[in-house]
Amino acid sequence: MKNRFLKAIFVIALIFAFFASCKPKNSSNAVSGDAASKVYVAPGKYDEFYNFVSGGFSGQMSVYGLPSGRMLKVIPVFSVDPESGWGFSEETKPMLNTSHGFIPWDDAHHPEMSQTNGEVDGRWVFINGNNTPRIARLDLKRFKTAEIIELPNSAGNHSSPFITENTEYVVAGTRFGVPGDYEDGDVPINTYKENYKAHISFVKVGKEGEMDIAFQLRLPAVNFDLSHAGKGKSHGWFFFSCYNSEQANTLLEVNASQKDKDFIMAVNWKKAEEYIKDGKGKKEKAKYAHNYWDEKTHSAVSEMKEDVLVLDAMELKDICYMIPCPKSPHGCDVDPSGEYIAGSGKLAALIPVFSYTKMLAAIDKKTYEGDYNGIPVLKYDAVLHGEVQKPGLGPLHTEFDGKGNAYTTMFVSSEIVKWDIKTLKVLDRVPTYYSVGHLMIPGGDSKKPFGKYMVAYNKITKDRYLPTGPELTQSAQLYDITGDKMQLLLDFPTIGEPHYAQAAPADLIRNNGQVKFYKIEENQHPYVTKGEKESKVVRNGNQVHVYMTSTRSHFAPDNIEGIRVGDEVYFHITNLEQDWDVPHGFSVKGAKTAELLIMPGETSTLKWIPEKVGTSVFYCTDFCSALHQEMQGYVRVSPKGSATPLTYSVGTNMPAVK
């Protein structure tokens, strides 16, 4: 055991030394002279594609234009955001509620755009919270997080959120095996094989995008990495890469790499639905939060749920099947036809491609090589379409261009390899800079890829950008894939750490009824102020509610007196503007939150507890007009118990005439 351990450490050290020290071979002439013209977007012109990029440990999602690489917006999702007040305003705080309480951060990895008939439709984009297991849905009419649902019985929501071809389900697999929430988790860690389980969540998506956990599958405690749904002929199936089939609970870099093969797990979710209808599922106690945004009231609602329906796939033998795959697979990618499933073993020197048709035949004939914790294991050769030989070192993730070609990232050798799906021949390879993880082709995991561009999301950027201290910026690289040869066009930085991304034609989203402002007459916020004359300040014990309006270029009221130390002051600001791109900001001195950024026609609330006697100030934080600097106000704070009357005004509290 000691010798095996030392050998594994030595091999890993060599690998890391290799990719940390070398550059791709043809790096000197990788960019041709016409690259600049291909990415140039003239002033006043729009990009061709929206590119939605995961923010990794920032917990957010960023939006870039392609081909320019210009960042258009950061959409707050799981992390508080002082720019917009997300997680700071009273309305948005419930969006970050969980069964553990208020969690203002997460680790977001995999955007997934909604689809209809297997084609990107531009309605929503989903993204996972990896740390505190959650799935968020973002509304692309507003470019805003509309819903977040927590996943019980899960730890490390990495294999998520991948969708079925009509967005019937958003599906999530757990990264870590753990005891279920409905079980006694106070067990020794070294009883992992006996007491730990893994759960896959099937989250139903309604017509308006609303999410609800339909059921979960209880499975052996393997680590699920990535997944994709079948499409076309394979619709009704889902495929997951999984590693740690050794079920190790310590030093996984060695102990989870002992076997030559791990698995791709195929899930017949249509069969699971049949078992649900037959009453085979069991309601298990599990506490989890479901948070959603109410557009009418401009407020979030958080509900706590108490149970979830669980099917035991280890007892029901015809839901799941294991397909052997070279060790430690990462990517699990289905081509546009739905026939071929590419697995990417991180420690393999080839890419196995499996056939859906052969898989069905093997299941029908029970061509098994045994079982894994009660789940049938299909014979590798019986399911294999073929292997891409010598593609590079460290294959991770594959996408498709819709022309019969696949593109796979090579993490160790820092390159992307293009290969023919049917013949499995390598057609081209191009360097990346450096250690590429995911790649993205617009629509590249759908039945109808848009092609044209490919973006690599790289882990290391040494010598690509100006240095910025011990940490360098995160990197994306844009390639033209319209010809036989891939062509590097552009480097552009991203907020970090980018993992996966998705993109769609700009017009598909831009012309799909995007909201430019909220109609003030439709605002049903409980503290809305629909006109300046309705503004007021109301005391209820130690709570003070300020019904305030903002418009270019003043607040109403802008003079408030009679606030006392220790009061809970709620500023409910309604932006009266009814024009596109005229938000107003609001901040008050001493508030232990952030600013508010209030969209036209929207109402938002900032809570402030004054701690000092004196005069505090508030002002607009978002440039709104030539008189933006004049958009300000004053709050007089008196001692606790003061008899100073509560007064408020705008334009009338003038100095006395002498």
Side-chain angles (χ1 to χ4, degrees):
M1 175 63 185
K2 183 178 179 181
N3 290 338
R4 186 172 61 186
F5 173 81
L6 292 174
K7 181 180 179 182
I9 292 295
F10 179 71
V11 170
I12 291 168
L14 284 177
I15 291 173
F16 275 90
F18 173 80
F19 77 73
S21 62
C22 71
K23 295 181 180 181
K25 291 181 180 179
N26 54 334
S27 59
S28 60
N29 60 353
V31 182
S32 65
D34 64 343
S37 64
K38 289 186 176 182
V39 301
Y40 179 67
V41 177
K45 299 297 182 180
Y46 293 141
D47 279 285
E48 297 174 63
F49 291 88
Y50 283 108
N51 183 26
F52 300 94
V53 183
S54 66
F57 43 66
S58 79
Q60 316 291 36
M61 182 187 294
S62 52
V63 186
Y64 295 82
L66 294 180
S68 73
R70 299 179 296 196
M71 187 171 76
L72 306 175
K73 187 178 181 67
V74 175
I75 306 175
V77 185
F78 300 111
S79 298
V80 293
D81 177 44
E83 179 183 348
S84 64
W86 183 258
F88 290 107
S89 72
E90 296 305 295
E91 288 80 6
T92 59
K93 285 179 181 177
M95 291 297 287
L96 302 182
N97 190 35
T98 75
S99 62
H100 305 278
F102 181 78
I103 303 292
W105 171 84
D106 219 309
D107 184 18
H109 282 209
H110 303 127
E112 182 81 352
M113 298 188 73
S114 57
Q115 296 182 8
T116 300
N117 193 31
E119 298 179 20
V120 174
D121 58 29
R123 292 177 295 168
W124 313 302
V125 57
F126 302 87
I127 194 165
N128 62 323
N130 193 14
N131 185 66
T132 302
R134 289 175 279 184
I135 293 174
R137 175 177 61 86
L138 283 66
D139 177 1
L140 293 183
K141 288 185 178 180
R142 297 167 178 83
F143 277 61
K144 185 171 185 175
T145 301
E147 190 173 10
I148 298 177
I149 192 166
E150 187 180 4
L151 301 176
N153 304 316
S154 185
N157 176 38
H158 187 258
S159 185
S160 165
F162 296 96
I163 62 168
T164 51
E165 68 174 25
N166 285 298
T167 321
E168 299 97 334
Y169 292 107
V170 175
V171 182
T174 182
R175 173 179 172 182
F176 305 104
V178 289
D181 294 346
Y182 50 87
E183 299 173 312
D184 180 11
D186 184 18
V187 295
I189 297 173
N190 63 8
T191 64
Y192 185 101
K193 292 183 179 181
E194 293 79 27
N195 291 316
Y196 285 44
K197 300 290 186 295
H199 289 77
I200 288 175
S201 303
F202 281 76
V203 179
K204 192 73 175 175
V205 181
K207 291 183 179 179
E208 301 301 318
E210 63 277 13
M211 298 188 293
D212 188 33
I213 299 177
F215 62 91
Q216 293 183 319
L217 295 180
R218 181 165 49 232
L219 293 155
V222 295
N223 296 47
F224 292 104
D225 200 339
L226 289 177
S227 52
H228 271 98
K231 53 180 72 80
K233 63 170 65 178
S234 55
H235 178 62
W237 288 79
F238 226 100
F239 303 93
F240 295 80
S241 63
C242 46
Y243 61 102
N244 192 23
S245 55
E246 296 87 349
Q247 296 188 309
N249 60 273
T250 183
L251 204 62
L252 265 64
E253 62 177 324
V254 175
N255 294 321
S257 301
Q258 299 299 315
K259 297 181 179 180
D260 289 336
K261 290 184 173 63
D262 284 295
F263 299 112
I264 297 292
M265 186 177 75
V267 179
N268 186 341
W269 59 264
K270 289 286 190 181
K271 177 62 70 173
E273 286 183 329
E274 292 177 14
Y275 281 126
I276 293 291
K277 289 179 182 178
D278 292 341
K280 300 292 186 181
K282 181 182 179 182
K283 282 283 184 74
E284 301 283 7
K285 291 292 182 183
K287 187 177 180 181
Y288 60 99
H290 180 207
N291 313 323
Y292 57 91
W293 187 257
D294 187 330
E295 282 296 334
K296 294 180 180 179
T297 64
H298 300 182
S299 302
V301 177
S302 180
E303 301 173 340
M304 201 61 67
K305 301 205 169 182
E306 301 292 338
D307 56 45
V308 65
L309 191 62
V310 177
L311 277 176
D312 193 327
M314 294 175 285
E315 293 182 0
L316 303 168
K317 307 294 185 181
D318 54 355
I319 297 178
C320 298
Y321 300 88
M322 294 296 199
I323 301 171
C325 185
K327 66 170 63 177
S328 301
H330 181 65
C332 178
D333 303 289
V334 182
D335 87 304
S337 73
E339 171 63 21
Y340 301 111
I341 304 103
S344 297
K346 298 194 296 287
L347 303 181
L350 53 82
I351 302 171
V353 182
F354 303 102
S355 162
Y356 172 72
T357 302
K358 288 185 175 182
M359 183 194 78
L360 289 186
I363 291 171
D364 184 58
K365 297 176 182 177
K366 293 184 168 49
T367 310
Y368 304 151
E369 63 179 43
D371 72 89
Y372 181 82
N373 289 48
I375 297 177
V377 178
L378 301 172
K379 287 187 176 180
Y380 180 75
D381 291 337
V383 185
L384 188 69
H385 165 59
E387 297 171 338
V388 182
Q389 296 292 329
K390 298 181 180 179
L393 297 176
L396 286 187
H397 173 225
T398 300
E399 293 223 329
F400 307 91
D401 63 7
K403 301 176 183 178
N405 303 310
Y407 301 75
T408 301
T409 57
M410 299 292 161
F411 177 77
V412 176
S413 52
S414 291
E415 59 186 332
I416 294 172
V417 173
K418 175 182 177 181
W419 48 277
D420 186 284
I421 299 170
K422 291 186 178 179
T423 67
L424 307 177
K425 291 182 179 179
V426 172
L427 304 175
D428 188 27
R429 61 180 70 241
V430 66
T432 62
Y433 306 90
Y434 306 98
S435 299
V436 59
H438 283 274
L439 60 78
M440 184 282 301
I441 293 171
D445 72 339
S446 72
K447 286 171 66 174
K448 189 177 179 181
F450 301 104
K452 190 167 186 178
Y453 299 116
M454 173 180 68
V455 183
Y457 297 93
N458 306 330
K459 303 300 184 184
I460 298 173
T461 61
K462 291 179 180 178
D463 75 27
R464 302 306 290 180
Y465 304 108
L466 285 172
T468 51
E471 183 187 21
L472 302 178
T473 184
Q474 313 296 322
S475 173
Q477 294 187 299
L478 178 71
Y479 295 81
D480 182 339
I481 58 170
T482 55
D484 292 336
K485 300 293 183 180
M486 297 173 279
Q487 180 190 4
L488 176 61
L489 300 179
L490 179 71
D491 287 6
F492 61 95
T494 71
I495 64 168
E497 173 198 357
H499 289 261
Y500 186 42
Q502 292 214 323
D507 287 347
L508 181 67
I509 298 168
R510 184 168 63 93
N511 300 331
N512 192 24
Q514 281 200 15
V515 172
K516 295 186 175 180
F517 60 86
Y518 299 99
K519 295 179 180 178
I520 194 72
E521 65 271 17
E522 296 177 359
N523 186 330
Q524 297 179 27
H525 191 286
Y527 294 98
V528 63
T529 306
K530 294 190 175 182
E532 191 170 303
K533 292 182 179 180
E534 298 176 18
S535 63
K536 59 186 176 180
V537 182
V538 178
R539 176 178 289 280
N540 183 11
N542 76 325
Q543 287 192 354
V544 178
H545 293 273
V546 181
Y547 294 72
M548 181 178 282
T549 62
S550 62
T551 190
R552 288 168 284 185
S553 296
H554 66 274
F555 294 102
D558 64 3
N559 281 205
I560 303 171
E561 300 187 39
I563 302 298
R564 303 164 188 157
V565 170
D567 280 346
E568 291 183 2
V569 183
Y570 295 88
F571 291 95
H572 310 287
I573 302 102
T574 301
N575 183 347
L576 296 180
E577 308 284 357
Q578 293 289 269
D579 192 8
W580 189 19
D581 195 29
V582 191
H584 287 296
F586 178 85
S587 71
V588 60
K589 180 184 177 183
K592 295 180 178 178
T593 55
E595 67 158 3
L596 299 178
L597 191 59
I598 311 134
M599 297 300 114
E602 184 181 38
T603 301
S604 191
T605 302
L606 184 144
K607 180 181 178 180
W608 173 56
I609 301 178
E611 297 178 343
K612 295 180 180 179
V613 173
T615 298
S616 197
V617 296
F618 55 86
Y619 66 99
C620 178
T621 53
D622 191 86
F623 189 88
C624 55
S625 72
L627 298 178
H628 166 70
Q629 285 292 99
E630 284 74 13
M631 193 168 176
Q632 64 181 49
Y634 298 91
V635 180
R636 175 184 170 189
V637 180
S638 299
K640 185 177 291 188
S642 169
T644 302
L646 185 67
T647 61
Y648 55 92
S649 62
V650 59
T652 60
N653 189 27
M654 307 295 288
V657 178
K658 295 183 179 180

